[in-house]
Amino acid sequence: MTTGHDTRLDSFNDTGLDPFNTKGGRPEDPDMTATDQRADEPVLDPAAREGAELPTERTVIFDVEELNVYYGDFRAVRDASLKVHKNEITAFIGPSGCGKTTLLRCFNRMNDLIETARVTGSLRYHGVDLYHPKVDSVEVRRQIGMVFQKPNPFPKSIWANVAYGPRVAGLAKKGPAMDDIVENSLRKAALWDEVKDRLDENALGLSGGQQQRLCIARAIATDPDVLLMDEPCSALDPIATTRIEELMHGLKDDYSIVIVTHNMQQAARVSDRTAFFSVEVNPESDTRTGILVEYDSTQKMFSNPADERTENYVTGRFG
Amino acid sequence: MNEAGSAELSIEALSGSPRRVRRERIISRAMFCTAFVSVVVSALIIYALFAEAWIFMRDVDWSATWGQIGWFPRRGIYDMPTLLVASLWTTAIAMVVAAPLGMGAAIYLSEYARPSHRAFFKPILEILAGIPSVVLGFFALLWLAPNVVAHIGGEGGRGSMLAAGIGVGILTIPLVASISEDAMAAVPKSLREASAGLGARRAVTTLRVVLPAAVSGLVASLIVAVSRALGETMVVFMAGGAADAAIKTYSPYDGSLTMPAAMASLASGTDQVVGEGLTFQSLFFVGLVLFMLTLGLNLIGDRFVARVREQY
């Protein structure tokens, strides 16, 4: 953490989830009750963060400038520019079809999987142009992990799910070294105690919330630098959602997180910075292009946004 | 019909039009009948097979069906191992050809091919599937024998189990490819994305995620292909290098008769089937053995599939 870090934010982080704690027992932790109570406290209200200015000198992870994404001739995102900072949670919010997921999928070049997708403008990751011809998308994805909208564990054992990434990356083979990676990843994802006795069972036997935490464990097993989360809670119930959100607070000490969410309250609860996207309808071709309307600290976005459209959206007047 | 203030309904109001109800019932019965026809036909086939095969099994001197010099049905020598070995060889050779080529094509189409390439390859596979087996029989005899078999140790001038096996293999490639591709296409895209998101290359994703998840379909494609190869008649009849009778041989370079080829030669010919008393019935006996083999294969296949499948 940098020196300019505000203590109020620390209290935000105080979820009782120490990401370095590898001794286990976290769900039974007495701190957990404190965390649960926290949900009722006004901490969730963005206004509680009034005046909590974010330090700007933090390392920039992603520097996006004038980014456009096309699917064939159709422009899905227009001229997006923003900076994503280290050890922060950055939220993308906005109505459906505003291009927030599309933009997120540029960050680990997931759009490469779509034949017609094309990206223009600049997207720098620690200063390196991610779309430089010499950059291998596979290498990018090893450093930038992703958690998807719907939990998508492999139909394999819990152990094999977590071990998949490290194995593919050649970090470890079967054996004690891999067992350690699996255990640490599951602990970081606050899932270890629930599954430690059934690592050989099929991951599809887990509940939806557990599956999503398994997917998070699987994503952090390769020790990425950044975690991209594409509406990770949209398929989960409120209790599972709370657990994932708590988990994210714990994870941001180790990782930088970019999360796309439909849920404004979620953005307000978890993120440090928020980008609001909107849709621009082209009356001639009747196509919808996503535009980045405003990007600022979450506290400012939810209490005193500069743009009227943002204000209308966060106050629930549209979208 | 209601008294003032009464909210009661009569049964008739909710019974619907009798004419439509009746029509629905007729349609439902008609559909059942059409489905039932296939059951009846199957039963008839099995009955015909069993009836004649039973005569053979009852009257035959069983020592004539084992350990003889070959398959000479018109002389009362029904050496089953001759046919079984020939069937085994051609089927095995066919699978050596069809399994890698068919699965490879399926993997390419499902995992690698760009839409434009897919649009080019898929119809060609379908054309291959539509080639009559007689044509492939000629191809095996006149092209595969001199151009392929002759280069891998066999004789080019005549048919052989090897030539027939390769021919049958080519015949079953589209079958393996299309069933395998369907199985792979059914694997959810989200699993491929998960794998790609973890930094797996396409080959790794295919090998470790798609193929294990699709294994039931892949095994099914192989079983269907083996059944097809076992039952394939025309290619082995034309290119198998034997007609009417065959001397027992274990070498795929020799000509021999597979079970269906033996049946075809029994049922053809200008003289109908003349010869020893049971010659005609032996046709049904061979058919029964073939039927039992493919049935057993399908049962084993089902069991295997249930055991190894990764449910998604």
Side-chain angles (χ1 to χ4, degrees):
Chain A
M1 294 276 147
T2 52
T3 42
H5 190 73
D6 195 288
T7 45
R8 285 197 198 202
L9 279 175
D10 272 337
S11 69
F12 247 88
N13 279 338
D14 188 18
T15 58
L17 299 176
D18 173 8
F20 296 107
N21 169 19
T22 48
K23 296 181 203 76
R26 195 175 299 138
E28 286 83 31
D29 239 281
D31 288 357
M32 277 301 283
T33 45
T35 316
D36 290 339
Q37 280 163 5
R38 192 182 57 86
D40 303 326
E41 285 167 9
V43 174
L44 294 184
D45 179 2
R49 292 203 236 180
E50 202 79 55
E53 279 305 320
L54 287 162
T56 48
E57 67 271 27
R58 272 189 183 153
T59 314
V60 173
I61 301 262
F62 290 111
D63 189 352
V64 184
E65 269 175 61
E66 302 286 306
L67 199 79
N68 292 278
V69 187
Y70 299 84
Y71 295 123
D73 293 332
F74 162 65
R75 175 146 73 168
V77 176
R78 198 193 73 198
D79 297 334
S81 300
L82 57 86
K83 288 182 172 65
V84 173
H85 297 261
K86 193 172 167 62
N87 296 117
E88 283 186 4
I89 298 177
T90 306
F92 290 178
I93 60 169
S96 300
C98 67
K100 52 195 191 301
T101 294
T102 299
L103 181 60
L104 186 81
R105 283 171 163 252
C106 291
F107 287 2
N108 67 344
R109 296 204 22 190
M110 214 60 182
N111 283 332
D112 290 18
L113 299 182
I114 299 162
E115 203 64 42
T116 55
R118 195 160 50 83
V119 173
T120 68
S122 141
L123 169 49
R124 291 182 176 278
Y125 169 64
H126 289 294
V128 177
D129 179 8
L130 271 187
Y131 282 86
H132 190 279
K134 274 188 167 173
V135 170
D136 181 7
S137 60
V138 169
E139 210 50 57
V140 170
R141 292 180 203 136
R142 283 188 186 161
Q143 304 205 17
I144 303 170
M146 188 159 205
V147 177
F148 297 84
Q149 187 169 359
K150 204 171 139 244
N152 56 353
F154 300 124
K156 300 175 186 292
S157 73
I158 293 168
W159 189 94
N161 263 280
V162 184
Y164 185 87
R167 202 157 157 195
V168 164
L171 298 178
K173 292 212 184 306
K174 262 186 185 166
M178 184 64 93
D179 289 338
D180 284 350
I181 292 179
V182 171
E183 179 174 343
N184 285 333
S185 308
L186 286 169
R187 281 190 194 283
K188 281 188 184 176
L191 189 59
W192 174 251
D193 290 291
E194 290 160 63
V195 301
K196 66 182 174 199
D197 296 323
R198 46 174 176 149
L199 294 174
D200 293 334
E201 285 175 29
N202 194 314
L204 295 180
L206 299 172
S207 72
Q210 287 174 324
Q211 285 188 11
Q212 194 61 303
R213 275 180 284 147
L214 178 65
C215 291
I216 293 173
R218 181 175 68 182
I220 60 187
T222 48
D223 197 26
D225 179 39
V226 185
L227 271 183
L228 305 178
M229 297 184 155
D230 183 6
E231 300 188 36
C233 302
S234 63
L236 304 181
D237 64 47
I239 293 170
T241 300
T242 310
R243 298 214 59 174
I244 304 266
E245 288 178 7
E246 286 163 4
L247 180 59
M248 289 172 66
H249 278 298
L251 288 172
K252 80 170 189 180
D253 290 343
D254 289 352
Y255 309 98
S256 311
I257 298 173
V258 185
I259 177 174
V260 164
T261 176
H262 247 72
N263 179 334
M264 273 183 292
Q265 282 70 36
Q266 182 168 61
R269 283 192 297 262
V270 301
S271 71
D272 300 298
R273 286 177 214 263
T274 299
F276 170 61
F277 293 80
S278 189
V279 184
E280 197 180 58
V281 182
N282 182 337
E284 283 163 36
S285 57
D286 197 36
T287 52
R288 298 154 67 87
T289 298
I291 47 166
L292 173 60
V293 174
E294 190 175 356
Y295 178 50
D296 212 324
S297 75
T298 298
Q299 166 259 317
K300 180 145 189 301
M301 290 289 281
F302 280 89
S303 59
N304 186 24
D307 196 291
E308 197 186 346
R309 288 167 292 178
T310 312
E311 180 155 18
N312 287 342
Y313 188 74
V314 298
T315 53
R317 247 169 271 165
F318 99 99
Chain B
M1 117 190 39
N2 285 350
E3 311 294 317
S6 162
E8 270 183 34
L9 264 175
S10 70
I11 277 288
E12 285 73 27
L14 290 176
S15 341
S17 147
R19 207 168 57 89
R20 290 187 183 194
V21 169
R22 203 169 341 109
R23 195 175 63 183
E24 184 64 27
R25 203 174 296 148
I26 290 169
I27 290 174
S28 154
R29 283 200 189 135
M31 294 302 132
F32 172 79
C33 288
T34 55
F36 197 69
V37 166
S38 62
V39 176
V40 170
V41 169
S42 301
L44 278 175
I45 290 173
I46 292 171
Y47 170 74
L49 202 59
F50 268 94
E52 296 286 338
W54 170 247
I55 298 173
F56 180 83
M57 289 192 283
R58 190 189 57 199
D59 296 344
V60 78
D61 171 12
W62 283 90
S63 68
T65 66
W66 204 267
Q68 302 290 327
I69 76 154
W71 177 260
F72 296 95
R74 280 159 215 232
R75 288 189 230 155
I77 301 171
Y78 310 103
D79 186 56
M80 285 306 289
T82 304
L83 303 186
L84 287 171
V85 167
S87 275
L88 230 65
W89 261 124
T90 46
T91 304
I93 293 163
M95 294 321 289
V96 165
V97 172
L101 289 177
M103 297 239 177
I107 289 172
Y108 173 74
L109 285 174
S110 156
E111 306 301 313
Y112 286 88
R114 290 203 262 140
S116 54
H117 292 183
R118 224 184 110 85
F120 173 73
F121 280 107
K122 193 104 207 230
I124 290 185
L125 261 181
E126 273 152 23
I127 289 171
L128 190 59
I131 292 179
S133 56
V134 200
V135 175
L136 253 161
F138 268 117
F139 177 72
L141 188 61
L142 298 181
W143 195 86
L144 287 177
N147 292 307
V148 178
V149 175
H151 292 288
I152 49 176
E155 270 180 63
R158 60 177 175 82
S160 62
M161 286 186 265
L162 189 56
I166 298 172
V168 175
I170 293 171
L171 198 72
T172 45
I173 287 173
L175 202 64
V176 175
S178 83
I179 301 179
S180 302
E181 200 220 336
D182 286 347
M184 283 187 254
V187 174
K189 203 171 132 240
S190 66
L191 293 184
R192 291 187 185 86
E193 286 194 331
S195 178
L198 290 164
R201 285 176 203 283
R202 215 163 267 199
V204 175
T205 301
T206 304
L207 206 64
R208 292 193 193 262
V209 176
V210 179
L211 292 184
V215 78
S216 59
L218 303 182
V219 172
S221 82
L222 291 183
I223 288 171
V224 171
V226 167
S227 293
R228 177 85 172 80
L230 270 177
E232 169 51 34
T233 309
M234 216 41 183
V235 175
V236 286
F237 188 44
M238 294 171 75
D244 301 336
I247 298 171
K248 180 153 139 192
T249 172
Y250 292 101
S251 164
Y253 295 121
D254 291 334
S256 190
L257 282 173
T258 66
M259 287 183 278
M263 291 171 70
S265 56
L266 273 173
S268 66
T270 49
D271 54 357
Q272 286 301 320
V273 175
V274 288
E276 202 246 0
L278 287 170
T279 307
F280 183 67
Q281 278 73 27
S282 74
L283 189 160
F284 291 90
F285 177 67
V286 174
L288 184 66
V289 172
L290 190 62
F291 174 71
M292 291 308 211
L293 267 177
T294 44
L295 185 70
L297 206 67
N298 284 331
L299 292 179
I300 293 170
D302 282 352
R303 281 216 159 159
F304 175 80
V305 165
R307 195 149 46 86
V308 299
R309 169 155 76 173
E310 282 189 350
Q311 214 96 31
Y312 48 82

